Amino acid sequence: MLKDRATEYYEKGYNCAETILRAANDEYQLGLTEDAMKLCGGFGAGMGCGKACGALCGGICAISAKLIETSAHETPELRAACTKLVAAFNRILGDTECKNLMQKYKKPDTRCLQTVLLGCEALESVME
């Protein structure tokens, strides 16, 4: 289950974006290499400045890995899938901005795990 895998990765110290992508790679057999998964590391903590949530960005990376064969421009269904994820993320979490989500969900002991797990719900609604 995506949430179980995400919990394991988050507890190992991966950030929100890395966690979502790693869990999705396992759950949906995306075939990403270790080097490929490193590419989303900078999206954690809202790109380090509180902007778009890293869990959302990691989900966009997972959708891209699943759908794109050659390029985004040659993948007409990509835009709709990304839009669907953003809408689900907004519906489930109430926002997409890291700085706002941290105020609502971040806890001293579990950090942003709740945000990651709710982000998993949003991603599952698109990936299935």
Side-chain angles (χ1 to χ4, degrees):
M1 182 174 190
L2 187 62
K3 285 184 177 182
D4 295 333
R5 292 176 190 270
T7 300
E8 290 174 26
Y9 283 117
Y10 198 74
E11 289 176 350
K12 287 181 182 177
Y14 290 101
N15 72 26
C16 47
E18 293 170 317
T19 293
I20 292 280
L21 186 58
R22 285 176 176 279
N25 188 52
D26 292 349
E27 188 71 15
Y28 302 111
Q29 294 86 43
L30 300 176
L32 298 172
T33 65
E34 279 296 313
D35 283 342
M37 287 189 280
K38 290 177 187 177
L39 294 173
C40 77
F43 291 116
M47 295 176 275
C49 61
K51 294 294 184 184
C53 176
L56 174 59
C57 294
I60 295 290
C61 291
I63 289 169
S64 297
K66 181 180 180 182
L67 296 179
I68 296 172
E69 290 185 29
T70 54
S71 74
H73 290 301
E74 295 178 12
T75 311
E77 65 273 23
L78 180 64
R79 183 176 296 223
C82 292
T83 299
K84 185 176 177 182
L85 178 61
V86 171
F89 205 90
N90 233 332
R91 180 176 35 76
I92 293 168
L93 287 101
D95 209 317
T96 59
E97 293 287 305
C98 175
K99 63 182 179 217
N100 300 330
L101 293 170
M102 284 198 321
Q103 290 176 3
K104 187 173 182 181
Y105 295 108
K106 188 173 183 180
K107 302 212 172 20
D109 56 336
T110 58
R111 304 177 342 268
C112 292
L113 180 59
Q114 186 177 4
T115 301
V116 169
L117 296 178
L118 292 170
C120 286
E121 287 181 28
L123 181 60
E124 285 174 324
S125 74
V126 177
M127 294 291 268
E128 294 173 358

